[in-house]
Amino acid sequence: MGTTRLNRRLRAPRAVVYRALLSAEAVQQWMVPDSMTSHVHSFDAREGGAFRISLTYDVPTTVGKTSARTDTFHGRFVKLVPETAVVQVLEFETDDPAMKGEMTITYTLADAGDGTDLTGVHENLPPGVSPADNELGWSMSIDKLAKLVEKR
């Protein structure tokens, strides 16, 4: 099982970043790599609350995990520490054994001068998910998160 780690300084207060991690509307805007569209089916942002999200490739492809063009995943919020941490467990909806398995994503927020240091750890990547590809997609998403929170 692979792990991806990401660190990013955001020019926004922790409270703003934390809210963007837990807002369905914000997540639909930022938690999507380039060349994909996001759809949040459900999103209950509380400990034990569930979510379900689909990411669809803008151009027809055959690399989707759930269908030829779509990656759908569902999960739950395991731990929420206001303005400090968000821990999620999620898994792809797929028949491909190489893409199955629960993954854990932990976002940690810390004060950093006039902004926030975000540390993200994506653990237990299924064997069919390349850590390099995961890191690239996650970096694209965090770039969108930065644009979203820094404009407020």
Side-chain angles (χ1 to χ4, degrees):
M1 295 296 197
T3 298
T4 302
R5 186 176 301 274
L6 180 111
N7 295 297
R8 180 74 184 261
R9 168 103 12 114
L10 305 171
R11 291 183 316 271
R14 283 190 324 177
V16 171
V17 177
Y18 185 77
R19 280 193 304 272
L21 295 175
L22 296 177
S23 159
E25 295 80 17
V27 165
Q28 186 159 311
Q29 293 176 52
W30 72 262
M31 192 186 290
V32 56
D34 296 345
S35 302
M36 296 185 89
T37 303
S38 174
H39 177 74
V40 176
H41 303 279
S42 60
F43 199 85
D44 183 6
R46 62 180 174 83
E47 283 190 12
F51 56 88
R52 185 169 183 259
I53 300 170
S54 291
L55 306 177
T56 302
Y57 290 88
D58 296 337
V59 176
T61 181
T62 58
V63 298
K65 295 170 187 71
T66 305
S67 70
R69 291 187 59 199
T70 304
D71 297 345
T72 298
F73 57 92
H74 64 271
R76 66 192 179 284
F77 293 96
V78 176
K79 183 176 181 182
L80 301 176
V81 180
E83 300 180 16
T84 304
V86 173
V87 181
Q88 307 167 321
V89 172
L90 60 119
E91 61 185 325
F92 292 115
E93 296 178 6
T94 182
D95 292 327
D96 183 348
M99 297 294 182
K100 287 186 178 261
E102 282 194 339
M103 300 168 276
T104 301
I105 297 178
T106 302
Y107 297 99
T108 306
L109 308 175
D111 288 331
D114 62 346
T116 301
D117 278 341
L118 177 141
T119 300
V121 180
H122 193 159
E123 299 172 281
N124 300 322
L125 293 172
V129 175
S130 154
D133 289 348
N134 187 68
E135 184 175 347
L136 176 61
W138 208 12
S139 293
M140 291 175 187
S141 294
I142 297 303
D143 287 347
K144 291 176 184 179
L145 173 63
K147 288 177 187 170
L148 180 68
V149 299
E150 291 175 353
K151 72 179 182 184
R152 295 179 183 218

